[in-house]
Amino acid sequence: MGLIDGNKLGVSLSTSNDSRFPGLNILDSDVKTFWLTTGMFPQEIIVTFNKSYIITKAEITCGGIRSVTFEKSVDTQAINFTAIVDATIDDTKDENLQKESYQLQDEECTFMKIKINSAWEDFAAIHSVKFYGDIKT
């Protein structure tokens, strides 16, 4: 099960929108670009997979996030989400980006909602997300 190519992913919704920090930035693997929240929580971004995948691992590089939830959907539309990760992330005190990795239990997925429940400051950012797995056969 390998890294899923970011070109096979899209963003179907982000609750915070700023043309300087679009949601698609989380998929470009460049930690210098990011999606920025507006400062009210929770904030959500939904990643769309081009096919149904079996996901074994999720990685997030972010800044300022205190609590995050990953929720999956197997529907053909971005509905009926089920939480698969609920995590608290340590504060890095603005010294480094937060980098977290979550092992998953072979989760079938067509959409992944990343919900920032709370942050250490007024704003939070996701610099990149990566998913590992294979197309469901």
Side-chain angles (χ1 to χ4, degrees), residues 24-116:
L24 281 174
N25 282 352
I26 72 171
L27 302 177
D28 67 10
S29 297
D30 181 356
V31 295
K32 294 177 184 173
T33 63
F34 51 91
W35 171 65
L36 185 67
T37 68
T38 57
M40 295 177 59
F41 297 97
Q43 293 283 332
E44 300 177 354
I45 189 163
I46 297 177
V47 175
T48 305
F49 294 79
N50 70 331
K51 298 181 188 267
S52 185
Y53 279 82
I54 302 297
I55 308 297
T56 58
K57 182 167 78 168
E59 294 178 344
I60 186 169
T61 302
C62 52
I65 294 178
R66 182 187 299 244
S67 171
V68 66
T69 303
F70 285 73
E71 300 176 3
K72 71 168 189 169
S73 172
V74 296
D75 286 321
T76 57
Q77 298 179 347
I79 57 173
N80 300 321
F81 285 90
T82 303
I84 57 173
V85 172
D86 193 19
T88 300
I89 303 176
D90 292 335
D91 188 6
T92 59
K93 310 261 189 265
D94 295 326
E95 292 179 17
N96 296 301
L97 292 175
Q98 299 161 303
K99 296 180 182 181
E100 299 291 322
S101 180
Y102 306 105
Q103 293 297 323
L104 306 175
Q105 299 297 316
D106 291 349
E107 300 288 350
E108 182 181 350
C109 183
T110 51
F111 297 93
M112 185 74 74
K113 181 189 298 181
I114 304 165
K115 184 188 302 182
I116 301 172

